[in-house]
Amino acid sequence: MLAAAQQFKRNDCYQFDLVSIGTQVLANYASVVQQQFARDFKQKNITDFKQHTAEFMELIADMDQLMGTRRELLLGKWLNDAKKWGANTAESRLYEKNARDLITLWGGKDAVLHEYANKQWSGLFNGFYGKRWKMFISEASDALKTKKVFDQKGFTEKVKTWEWNWVNGTEQYPDQPTGDPTEISKKMYAKYGKQITAAYKKLKLTKNKK
């Protein structure tokens, strides 16, 4: 895709596909990194856990930046469009809450259809998913350092409260795209290309040994 950049750089359809593919590649790699720090936790390897979780959080931020180049991938646009339908402040606030709820909990604090309509959007990664992962990593790291069992039940309740507060929140997110899709895609390729290739080669070798 990047090899065609010079010919199609200003083509909007090309830019959309470039960002979509890049985001998916990074998301796939994030799953590999997540599995790595899950193993680190089970093996009680604090050093590797710290390294891989830091890489994971950086991936979330980079994906957010890449998606932020596309207007249709902005959480801020979704929320602001919803608020515009309100005839007064109270209605606008209600519509924003509903818009937040639809793409996260899909109901109340204990909704069973949790993240039924989740999205890969800029703003949602840094503002929702990233912060939630940061909470988990902090709790898991503390469990490793103190050599205690991770309190899954307690953490789940803490996250539920945080998520519901986010649904009821009013913080704003950008509703205009920033950055050049092609240039940022090139940056991501230069940053992650070799390590993604190496990670998948390692996975393939591991599977072949089994």
Side-chain angles (χ1 to χ4, degrees), residues 34-196:
Q34 188 276 323
Q35 291 166 15
Q36 288 177 326
F37 71 71
R39 287 193 294 271
D40 298 335
F41 182 83
K42 289 180 180 179
Q43 296 167 2
K44 303 186 187 306
N45 188 328
I46 298 175
T47 300
D48 285 355
F49 181 82
K50 183 177 180 180
Q51 175 189 332
H52 290 136
T53 52
E55 183 180 356
F56 184 77
M57 293 303 299
E58 191 171 352
L59 270 163
I60 290 176
D62 284 341
M63 289 173 67
D64 196 282
Q65 181 187 19
L66 180 59
M67 291 183 291
T69 63
R70 297 295 307 181
R71 182 174 173 79
E72 62 269 34
L73 300 179
L74 299 177
L75 171 63
K77 182 180 183 304
W78 168 259
L79 297 180
N80 289 342
D81 284 351
K83 287 187 283 186
K84 288 175 184 177
W85 284 99
N88 51 55
T89 301
E91 279 193 0
S92 292
R93 183 68 196 90
L94 175 62
Y95 294 156
E96 178 182 7
K97 177 183 176 181
N98 288 342
R100 286 168 174 259
D101 201 21
L102 282 170
I103 58 175
T104 54
L105 305 189
W106 196 267
K109 182 179 176 182
D110 299 306
V112 294
L113 290 177
H114 192 280
E115 293 188 44
Y116 173 73
N118 64 312
K119 306 294 182 183
Q120 286 192 338
W121 285 349
S122 178
L124 198 57
F125 268 50
N126 279 341
F128 186 78
Y129 302 133
K131 290 184 178 179
R132 194 173 59 183
W133 272 110
K134 187 176 181 180
M135 289 172 62
F136 169 78
I137 290 168
S138 178
E139 295 270 340
S141 181
D142 287 344
L144 282 177
K145 291 174 183 176
T146 59
K147 298 181 180 180
K148 293 181 179 180
V149 176
F150 182 78
D151 183 6
Q152 183 63 62
K153 184 176 180 180
F155 176 73
T156 298
E157 290 304 313
K158 185 182 294 186
V159 167
K160 282 183 178 181
T161 298
W162 181 86
E163 289 173 334
W164 188 237
N165 287 337
W166 187 89
V167 167
N168 287 276
T170 58
E171 74 280 3
Q172 296 186 12
Y173 297 90
D175 63 358
Q176 296 297 323
T178 57
D180 183 284
T182 304
E183 294 307 313
I184 292 179
S185 294
K186 288 179 179 178
K187 185 178 96 171
M188 296 303 164
Y189 182 79
K191 182 176 182 178
Y192 291 106
K194 290 182 179 179
Q195 63 194 69
I196 289 176

Side-chain angles (χ1 to χ4, degrees), residues 194-208:
K194 290 182 179 179
Q195 63 194 69
I196 289 176
T197 300
Y200 280 108
K201 282 183 179 179
K202 184 177 179 181
L203 279 176
K204 186 175 181 180
L205 288 173
T206 302
K207 289 180 180 180
N208 289 338

